[in-house]
Each structure stands twice: as structure tokens, then as C-alpha cells.
Amino acid sequence: MVKGTSISDPGRMRINDIINSASQGKDLTKEDIVQLLLISGRNDLDALFSAADDVRKIAVGDEIYLRGIIEFSNFCSRNCLYCGLRRDNHAITRYRMPEKDILLSAHYIRKLKVSTVVLQSGEDESLNRDSLCRLISRIKDETGLIITLSVGERSFEDYRAFREAGADRYLLKHETSSAAIQKRLRPGAPFENRLKCLYWLKDLGYEVGTGIMVGLPLQNVGMLADDILFMQKMDADMLGIGPFITHSQTPLANCPNGDPDMVLKVIAIARLVTKTTNIPATTALGSLSRDARLKALSCGANVIMPDFTPLQYKRLYDIYPGKSDDNTDVETFMINLHAQITKLGRIIGQGSGYRKQEIK
Ligand code: SF4
């Protein structure tokens, strides 16, 4: 029986049954997932979060893995309606970090005993294959870090060259599996191409991360259920699940933010159905609700991605508002993070943090 629930009415019994089924490894239907996304009572929410936390503990353990991000360019040739880095946002100051600054940040990540660097940028057309390969090789040779790329849709040949140069992982969130929303909010970026990229990356042997935004305009719980089923089927190694956050310099400036509680529900259900994936407690969630990032660690998440971008660039990586408000230096952030993780009864993962093998 699900912890913390009574079975006083048929609706609650149904919720309990769905949660118990998922905890026991049975597949959920779209209807089951919609039922879980619609729950709002404290007891039912606690039951869902507690079940997800139990599965997290069994499937991936108590370790929380850290990935150090360097946001090395905020140029983007795309025009996604929700994003502050979109091509038509002329209010933003654009930058590309010089290679020497990127390397310094990578060394700093190594110094603070974080095993993975995430090199993130917009879809910057000036980042050609050779320059990125040189950067990847230098970071690998000089630091030995596990390298995650998050530089958007590229050709198969680019992905192969990056892999051969030393890249280990790739993040490419699909944002939504709804074709209608994709078409409206990501003009000129067909979903089929993103999907093709994700499968190329898998074929090339990358650890692959994908993920979604919760609370996008036009999105409903049925679409979120489809997203969760899509992520399960995709069998990605990492799932980034964060809220939509309104940016004043975009066409969606007047839309409401995503609901942090809905984000937590999606994280919990994703943990229940995918078991061993690595799921970050995203910075975006923390920007929307101060304690939601920690709550996410108690309902399925097992990864934190501290931002190692030097402050003069970090404040310009204005992908959504509030992201760069925390001017705490990363060393202080890490000290605070260690204390928070210890308080949760968890530990910092020391190894590579690759996805654990499937539990039987
Ligand atoms: S979401 Fe990504 S691809 Fe779209 S505008 Fe922003 S940085 Fe560019």
C-alpha cells in the first residue's frame, strides 16, 4: 500500500493502485498518467512523491551527481518563441567565450572535484566542427573531464566528429512531443529533425539526454502524459524537466509561468516509469520557486548542475528571467549545496555518474 494515504474513496483507491502498479514496474497507460498529473490533494501528492523517492533510492541510490555547466555562447540562429536567446531578441548583449576562458572554467570544475563538464550554447552557426573538436580535445586532454555537449541540432558528421574528439554525452531536449506546439513555438525547427538527431546521437554511443518544458502555452495534461510516455519509449539516459518561464523580450511575454508543483509531478512520474534515468533538479525550477529544486531531489531527481560560467558571461545567458539572479560564487554555492544534500540524508556522487544499468 502507498505510504501516507487512506483508501476512503474510490478516486483515492484508483490513485493508490496506479502508484503501486508503477512502483512494481508495471507500465502505465496515458489515462493512468493523466490521473496522476491531475492529483492535487496533499496526501495524494505525498504518496506520489514518496513512491518516486523510493524508486529513486532503489534504482539509482542516494548519490546526487554534479555536472558543471559552462554557457560558452549565447548566439542562436533559431527563434523559439519562449526563449530569451532567440535570434530576434535584440535587447540582449551577445558573447562567445574565448577558448582560454572556457578552459579555465573547465579546470575550475576539475579543481572542485566535479567529474562532468556541460558545454552549453545556443545554436551558434559560427561554432564550426573544427573549432568545437579542438575545444573538446583540449578539455579532455588537459582535465580528463567527462564532456557533455548541449549545442543543439547538428549534422550526423558533426556529431560523429565531436564523439571522436572526446565528447561523451549530449543534451538535446525535445521540449514537447506535441507537433502542434512544436510548430507554433519552434518555427522552422521540425520535430522530426530533432528526433532524428536524438537517434543519431544514440547510434553514435553518446549518453543522451532529452527533456521537456512544463507549462508551455497550449499544453495540457494529455500532452504532458504523451511527453512522459515519449521519454519512456526514447529510453534516454537523462531527462531535463523544467518549467516554462515567461521572458519579457519574447512573443510569449504575457503568458503565465509553468506551475512548479506540476513540474514536480512530472519528475516523480518520469522516475516511476523510467527507473534508472538521471534526472536533474533543474536551475529553472529553482528560479521559479526557491525550495522547489530541493523538493525535486525528494521526488525523483538525482542530479544538480552548478553553473561555472564566469559571472560576466553568466549574467548575459538570459535564456529565462531569474536565472542569473543568484550571484553567489560557485565555490560558496558548492559549500551550501553540500550542506543541503547532507541535510537530505544524501551524498555527492564521486564517480562518473553514468546511467545505472537497468534494475531487474
Ligand atoms: S531554445 Fe535553444 S534553439 Fe531555441 S532560441 Fe533558445 S537557445 Fe536557440
Side-chain angles (χ1 to χ4, degrees), residues 35 77 111 113 117 119 153 167 183 189 193 202 215 217 236 239 241 272 290 307 311 323 340 359:
Q35 292 284 316
S77 57
K111 185 175 165 220
K113 300 191 185 342
V117 58
L119 297 172
E153 295 177 28
K183 202 169 169 195
N193 198 55
K202 281 176 88 104
L239 303 175
I241 298 163
L272 287 176
R290 199 172 280 264
D307 194 340
L311 200 55
K323 178 184 157 294
Q340 289 165 335
I359 48 167

Side-chain angles (χ1 to χ4, degrees), residues 76 78 80 82-83 85-86 122-123 186:
C76 190
R78 301 256 188 210
C80 305
Y82 45 80
C83 178
L85 302 192
R86 66 195 306 269
E123 294 206 8
R186 295 180 49 80

Side-chain angles (χ1 to χ4, degrees), residues 189-206:
F191 183 51
E192 300 71 41
N193 198 55
R194 209 151 184 90
L195 212 50
K196 188 170 68 182
C197 289
L198 284 166
Y199 282 109
W200 280 344
L201 292 162
K202 281 176 88 104
D203 288 347
L204 287 164
Y206 284 91

Side-chain angles (χ1 to χ4, degrees), residues 279-293:
I279 302 181
T282 61
T283 313
L285 185 56
S287 298
L288 211 54
S289 159
R290 199 172 280 264
D291 62 344
R293 204 180 196 188

